[in-house]
């Protein structure tokens, strides 16, 4: 990729598209809907969850639909940033807090004919050292 203004704008719009998709997946109104979540997941989607469990697209859709109602507060994301690795691939990293369960997260988004879709995701639990 070149460092022309057009290339920089394309990279920014690609990262923005991936960030928008990621935030949509974190939306408490979207998460329980297999249709809405499914529209954002690549057909070959895989995940290594914060629990260490390996997930595929179908198992994630079932688990999110069956998850009990919202917790004490919705899942929140912070420190989200991204970089376009190739014209068709964006890497996002961010942290989440799911009712006190903290995780560093990494997502790969791929551009497809259907738009930007989440291809791979990994969550790694961590402890907030500032609270110790």
């Amino acid at each position: 990729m070149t460092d022309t203004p057009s290339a920089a704008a394309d990279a920014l719009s690609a990262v923005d598209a991936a960030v928008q998709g990621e935030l949509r997946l974190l939306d408490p109104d979207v998460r329980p809907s297999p249709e809405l979540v499914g529209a954002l997941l690549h057909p070959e989607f895989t995940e290594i969850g914060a629990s260490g469990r390996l997930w595929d697209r179908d198992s994630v859709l079932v688990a999110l639909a069956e998850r009990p109602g919202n917790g004490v507060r919705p899942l929140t994301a912070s420190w989200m940033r991204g970089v376009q690795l190739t014209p068709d691939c964006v890497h996002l990293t961010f942290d989440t807090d799911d009712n006190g369960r903290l995780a560093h997260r990494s997502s790969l988004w791929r551009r497809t004919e259907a738009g930007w879709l989440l291809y791979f995701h990994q969550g790694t639990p961590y402890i907030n050292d500032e609270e110790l």
Side-chain angles (χ1 to χ4, degrees):
M1 191 162 74
T2 62
D3 285 338
T4 66
S6 177
D10 288 347
L12 183 59
S13 64
V15 170
D16 286 344
V19 167
Q20 289 174 9
E22 196 74 55
L23 292 175
R24 187 137 169 81
L25 284 170
L26 297 172
D27 184 325
D29 294 329
V30 172
R31 291 177 72 77
S33 169
E35 294 79 21
L36 295 175
V37 172
L40 295 165
L41 298 182
H42 191 279
E44 297 172 14
F45 171 79
T46 58
E47 175 176 345
I48 302 171
S51 65
R53 180 175 174 183
L54 300 177
W55 299 83
D56 63 14
R57 185 179 192 279
D58 291 339
S59 62
V60 164
L61 293 175
V62 169
L64 287 174
E66 292 177 348
R67 188 172 182 183
N70 291 334
V72 176
R73 57 189 164 91
L75 184 136
T76 57
S78 59
W79 302 103
M80 192 172 291
R81 53 209 167 274
V83 63
Q84 187 171 10
L85 301 175
T86 70
D88 296 327
C89 184
V90 169
H91 180 222
L92 298 181
T93 57
F94 57 101
D95 292 341
T96 57
D97 181 343
D98 187 6
N99 295 300
R101 291 186 316 251
L102 305 175
H104 296 303
R105 299 195 175 268
S106 176
S107 294
L108 290 176
W109 286 79
R110 288 179 63 182
R111 185 187 342 239
T112 69
E113 290 180 9
W116 286 94
L117 299 177
L118 182 58
Y119 180 75
F120 174 79
H121 181 78
Q122 180 169 353
T124 304
Y126 75 94
I127 297 170
N128 186 350
D129 292 336
E130 293 175 10
E131 294 179 2
L132 294 177

